[in-house]
């Protein structure tokens, strides 16, 4: 992991579409790091402390709760029960915390980028604190953090989940969309939530096909194999 500590103000230009961009004024760069998997910037903006990956805004202090609730709440409303939840990516940890607050007794949080998750816990005023993350890494409590590839975790998992949430940066979701479309996965989950949720009976394994890829993962629909 290479990077710098706190620094002066800088601008980040987030490309939204051809000819369309969003300009962020970062008044103070808290950290600017290249991990094994991504370029990560955390800084102070007019929207509070914000997280950027590869030049794309991932979450901000002022709006993150609306975003993270939108990922999880539809699934909670449709699921038969909320006991076991699988969260893939979403390194801030907010979705995992919301699931526990809603009654989940076990949350598996899978993220491939250990450095990014730890930097979020250290510098973001939302999501895991450093001590909370340490407990989750040790499996002490309802949340267990696994530093693994999410696709590999799902392929090898024999557990059933009431809700599955996938929250990936836009470019990663778009890269995965072709693979997800052509290769069904058997995740053995009772409900699949990727941005939106479509619960399934617990006895039926489900796979997924991509309908739309974007920040917040890919919006998927499950099917019975």
């Amino acid at each position: 992991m290479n990077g710098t500590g706190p620094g002066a103000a800088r601008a980040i230009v987030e490309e939204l579409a051809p000819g369309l961009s969003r300009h962020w004024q970062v008044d103070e760069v808290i950290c600017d790091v290249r991990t094994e998997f991504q370029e990560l910037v955390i800084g102070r903006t007019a929207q509070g402390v914000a997280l950027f990956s590869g030049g794309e805004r991932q979450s901000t202090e002022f709006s993150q709760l609306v975003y993270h609730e939108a990922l999880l709440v539809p699934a909670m409303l449709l699921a038969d029960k909320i006991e076991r939840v699988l969260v893939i990516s979403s390194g801030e940890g907010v979705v995992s915390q919301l699931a526990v607050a809603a009654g989940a007794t076990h949350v598996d949080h899978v993220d491939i980028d250990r450095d990014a998750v730890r930097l979020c816990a250290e510098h973001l005023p939302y999501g895991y604190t450093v001590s909370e993350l340490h407990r989750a890494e040790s499996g002490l409590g309802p949340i267990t953090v696994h530093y693994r590839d999410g696709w590999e975790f799902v392929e090898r998992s024999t557990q059933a989940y009431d809700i599955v949430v996938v929250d990936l940066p836009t470019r990663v979701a778009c890269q995965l969309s072709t693979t997800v479309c052509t290769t069904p996965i058997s995740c053995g989950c009772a409900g699949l939530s990727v941005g939106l949720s479509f619960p399934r009976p617990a006895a039926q394994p489900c796979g997924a096909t991509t309908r739309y890829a974007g920040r917040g993962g890919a919006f998927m629909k499950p099917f019975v194999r």
Side-chain angles (χ1 to χ4, degrees):
M1 180 176 67
N2 300 310
T4 60
R10 61 177 285 190
I12 293 179
V13 179
E14 183 180 1
E15 300 295 335
L16 303 177
L20 180 64
S21 60
R22 179 162 47 197
H23 291 244
W24 291 86
Q25 178 61 37
V26 182
D27 298 321
E28 177 191 356
V29 175
I30 298 173
C31 74
D32 184 353
V33 173
R34 164 68 68 176
T35 73
E36 182 181 354
F37 301 99
Q38 61 188 308
E39 179 185 355
L40 198 74
V41 173
I42 297 175
R44 302 186 190 281
T45 73
Q47 296 297 309
V49 178
L51 170 67
F52 299 87
S53 172
E56 296 176 351
R57 183 277 315 268
Q58 303 303 302
S59 60
T60 72
E61 184 177 356
F62 291 177
S63 65
Q64 61 83 19
L65 187 58
V66 173
Y67 168 75
H68 288 114
E69 285 183 339
L71 280 176
L72 183 62
V73 170
M76 294 193 302
L77 294 175
L78 294 173
D80 293 333
K81 58 182 179 178
I82 310 169
E83 294 180 0
R84 296 184 56 84
V85 176
L86 172 62
V87 179
I88 298 177
S89 192
S90 199
E92 302 98 321
V94 177
V95 172
S96 299
Q97 293 175 326
L98 289 173
V100 171
T105 56
H106 182 81
V107 177
D108 282 316
H109 180 190
V110 182
D111 198 297
I112 198 171
D113 198 334
R114 182 193 309 263
D115 291 329
V117 174
R118 290 180 173 177
L119 286 168
C120 287
E122 180 179 355
H123 296 295
L124 292 179
Y126 50 91
Y128 298 135
T129 64
V130 173
S131 61
E132 288 171 343
L133 178 59
H134 179 71
R135 286 180 56 81
E137 289 175 336
S138 302
L140 302 175
I143 301 172
T144 300
V145 170
H146 309 264
Y147 294 118
R148 293 175 54 186
D149 177 78
W151 184 268
E152 175 186 299
F153 184 91
V154 169
E155 283 190 319
R156 297 185 179 184
S157 176
T158 59
Q159 301 298 315
Y161 295 94
D162 303 304
I163 298 172
V164 175
V165 178
V166 179
D167 178 20
L168 300 173
T170 304
R171 65 190 183 285
V172 178
C174 291
Q175 291 167 0
L176 286 176
S177 63
T178 301
T179 303
V180 174
C181 278
T182 58
T183 308
I185 60 174
S186 178
C187 58
C189 60
L192 178 64
S193 170
V194 193
L196 296 178
S197 58
F198 302 85
R200 303 295 301 184
Q204 296 179 327
C206 66
T209 55
T210 300
R211 300 175 64 185
Y212 171 81
R215 167 61 178 159
F219 282 35
M220 300 180 183
K221 59 180 180 181
F223 61 89
V224 178
R225 298 181 65 183

